[in-house]
Every structure is written in structure tokens, then in C-alpha cells.
Amino acid sequence: MKLKLIKYLAIFVALAASVTSCIEDEMTPMASGEGQTLVKFLEGPENKLFFSPFSGVRKTDLFSVRRDAHSSGILNSSSSIRLTAAPELLDEYNEENEESYEWLPDSLYILVVNSSIQGSMDEFTFNFGSGDFAKELAIELNGDKWDISRKYAVAYKISDPGGFPVVNGQESILTFISVKNKYDGVYLVSGTMSSPVNGDWSTASNDPAEDGTVIEYTLSTLTPTTCLAVDENNLGIPGTLFWTGTGFSYFGSFGLIIEFDPETDKVVNMINFYGQPAANTRSAALDPTGLNTYDPDTKTIEVKYFMLQPSAVPAPPHIHTMWDEEWKFVRDRE
């Protein structure tokens, strides 16, 4: 499972850090005038910005360009670094990640005027003066014109580093800009699960294997009223981990999209991410006997829902599995 892999990786990283510390103890400081002045996007190669819905205008730093000078002489000198828009990087990202980010349209922002930054959103020249080591590119986003159902991004590459080397892996940047609804975040899952198909099946949220398994759903904004639930800890995909009685499993082609009424904070629908119904006839449905609500004070979701599967349960209402859960907010989504 993904959870176990993360534990092993954590041990590996800890050992690697220990070895690195030993190496650093044997290093000597670099003398003045040695080394190189390096140029990079400080937040590169990716910078993800998430906002709650807002009205009016909000100043936002898209990214910063840094000049790491190796000597005071370089730091106190002037230099210029040119950036060029790279929409092809966004196209590649969308294709590789099956995403749908759009280039940030001119109608949604105004470029913050800065005397040391010249150009347009197609190409910029960052003019570094004496003592300058970083420059930020900022815009003013118009929240009143934002379509929360869309996701935007910009992409740039360093086309002229001013005669200095560029740090490998930080020569370009993709900045993603998304507005999230108020339900967006990471939630700790607890509750019960049962199935008329198999009485041995039960929830995985109570750590039945006693191995530290935790169920958290990352709710990512899809529209102003809907979120996609992803089990990042264990599956890395939209899915519902459960206990078979002897081990963990999950239902193929079944993941949750949860829909809210933003005026009442009621949960009004559960939808199968893989199709309603999916190819295997599985669909999601809200159990109307549940509280099915979001409490904005405690940021807790109380929800009861079904997985329906007519191919396995021919008799209506085709209930294959049922859940009665509490999703408690624990942190913002990264």
C-alpha cells in the first residue's frame, strides 16, 4: 500500500539526511571570490496558489527570480535577466497530468507596475540593481470576474540569464492559480461501513490492521458546489479503502464527488467520479436518512451514502455497500 511506501521513504530520507550532515561537517567554507553566481526561479519548477472566493482586487505574487551572488562585488553590480512566456510547458503539463489548466486571461488581472521590471506577460526583463538579489512578479487579481469552475496558470522560462548559469531544475516555472470553495481541504474520516454482499467487510478508518492506517479525504474544488474526494494516504486516487476481514482492498471504478448547497451547507448529492454509473454499473447515492450536512463552525461533514451496483445486486434499490461517516477538517490542501 502507498501508506507503507511512505513510511519506508521517510526512513530512507532520515538516513540520507544523517549522511549529508556528516559530509557537511567535513566541508570548508567557500573563500571570497570562489564559486558561481546562479540564477533561478525561487519557487520553481512549480508554484501552486489557492485562494478562497473573494471580491474586489487582491495583489498576488506569481513567482520570484533570484540572483544568488557569490561575491559582494557581483551583488553590488547591475545585471538584467530576461523571461519568456512558455505556454508549451502548460500544454505538456496538462497532457501528462490529464489536467485542464488554462492560460490566465488578461481580463482577470492587472500587472503591478514596477520600475525594475519591464515588458508584458509575453516577455519580461528583470533589472537587478546594486544590492538586489530577488525580484517578484506581482499581479492584481479581480475576484469579481473569476470563474471558480476554471483553473488558470502561467508558465515562464529564463531565456537570458544575464551571463550567469541557471540552476538545473529551476530554469522554468509553472504557476497554478485556483480559487477553492469553502469545503476544500483535508478531512479525517471516521465512521462505519457495511455491505449486504459480504458481512466481513468493514470500514478501514478505525485502523483494523493496527498498523497506523489513517483515512483522510482530500477535497479538491471542482465547481463552486462540488469537491472531488481523494485518498492521498493510501490509494492516491479517488477511492474508498475498506477492510475485508483479513486485509485492505478498495472498490474499482468507485470514487466520490460530493455536492453541497452553499446556502444551507447541506450535502445534496454523491456522485461516482468514474461515471454515474461506471462501466461496472457502480454509482454513488446519498442516503436521505443521514444528517448530510457541513458544520461551518467545526468544519465537519456528516454524511451517509451508498454504492449502488445493479450487476451485483439486481433487486432495487441495488444497494451494494453503505457508509455512515464523519469527515473532520484537519488542514488546508497543499
Side-chain angles (χ1 to χ4, degrees), residues 41 63 65 81-89 103 122-124 154-161 166 170-174:
F41 285 106
F63 54 78
V65 177
I81 298 169
R82 183 176 298 125
L83 311 181
T84 303
E88 69 277 5
L89 297 181
W103 191 270
D122 292 329
E123 185 175 86
F124 292 101
V154 294
Y156 289 89
K157 58 186 177 183
I158 298 173
S159 53
D160 183 353
V166 182
Q170 291 180 284
E171 60 276 282
S172 64
I173 191 166
L174 276 161

Side-chain angles (χ1 to χ4, degrees), residues 97 114-115 118 120 184 224 243 269 277 281 291 296 326 329:
N97 296 276
N114 188 324
S115 59
Q118 301 172 336
S120 66
D184 194 289
W243 181 249
N269 201 7
T281 77
L291 287 176
E326 176 185 273
F329 180 87

Side-chain angles (χ1 to χ4, degrees), residues 1 198-203 208-211 242-249:
M1 286 171 51
N198 191 318
D200 292 332
W201 295 348
S202 63
T203 181
E210 298 183 349
D211 62 352
F242 69 95
W243 181 249
T244 66
T246 57
F248 292 105
S249 186

Side-chain angles (χ1 to χ4, degrees), residues 181-183 219-229 255-273 276 284-287 291-294 301-305 327:
N181 62 36
K182 62 182 176 180
Y183 313 105
L219 298 191
S220 303
T221 297
L222 294 178
T223 72
T225 61
T226 61
C227 289
L228 173 64
L256 299 173
I257 294 174
I258 184 169
E259 182 177 1
F260 302 88
D261 179 341
E263 298 299 324
T264 64
D265 287 325
K266 285 288 188 180
V267 180
V268 295
N269 201 7
M270 296 293 272
I271 305 163
N272 185 4
F273 168 75
Q276 189 76 352
L286 197 64
D287 180 347
L291 287 176
N292 300 328
T293 191
Y294 167 82
I301 300 168
E302 302 282 350
V303 63
K304 292 179 71 174
Y305 58 96
W327 302 357

Side-chain angles (χ1 to χ4, degrees), residues 76-94:
N76 292 324
S77 66
S78 299
S79 61
S80 296
I81 298 169
R82 183 176 298 125
L83 311 181
T84 303
E88 69 277 5
L89 297 181
L90 180 57
D91 293 338
E92 292 170 5
Y93 179 90
N94 281 336

